[in-house]
Amino acid sequence: MQQPDAAPTTGISVPPPRTAPETEQVAPPRTAPAAGTEPAESEPAGDGTAGASAPGAGLTERERGILAFEQQWWRHAGAKEQAIRDTFGLSATRYYQLLNALLDNPAALAAEPLLIGRLRRLRSSRARNRRR
């Protein structure tokens, strides 16, 4: 053993962490305020309901965009995947990773309860079918 500092060779090499591509960087905020944020700022914050009344409070602009995108219906999977690339600049795999994390976000459930419920049911159904 000539190299005491070297890691033992197991045949598996782990690449260093990658940085996010340019297309996944957070977009700069819009010049116009998002819908529903202005009333929450002008209401007095004493009863704790100001944040709860604003739909989508606690979600990023991209997360709100993903929810709005998922409300559309697609006839063909390929058309949706192309639209994902065009709209978000993401691969379909990365988009679905973000969507899956968003389904477990309580702020998303508060913003779009029907959509999140439907998508959670689809996810559970697909998971059951994979186990069979």
Side-chain angles (χ1 to χ4, degrees), residues 22-115:
E22 283 294 320
T23 57
E24 291 191 34
Q25 297 297 325
V26 177
R30 291 185 188 176
T31 55
T37 57
E38 203 168 68
E41 294 171 353
S42 63
E43 292 177 359
D47 56 357
T49 59
S53 66
L59 295 176
T60 65
E61 187 66 31
R62 179 165 70 171
E63 289 171 335
R64 284 191 293 272
I66 289 173
L67 290 177
F69 186 81
E70 275 302 310
Q71 287 179 334
Q72 300 176 21
W73 289 90
W74 300 93
R75 293 179 185 252
H76 307 289
K80 183 175 182 180
E81 291 175 4
Q82 184 62 45
I84 289 168
R85 281 190 290 279
D86 295 343
T87 305
F88 299 105
L90 300 171
S91 68
T93 302
R94 180 65 181 143
Y95 170 83
Y96 285 115
Q97 288 171 345
L98 293 171
L99 177 62
N100 194 37
L102 191 56
L103 293 182
D104 297 326
N105 186 340
L109 180 62
E112 295 289 342
L114 295 176
L115 175 66

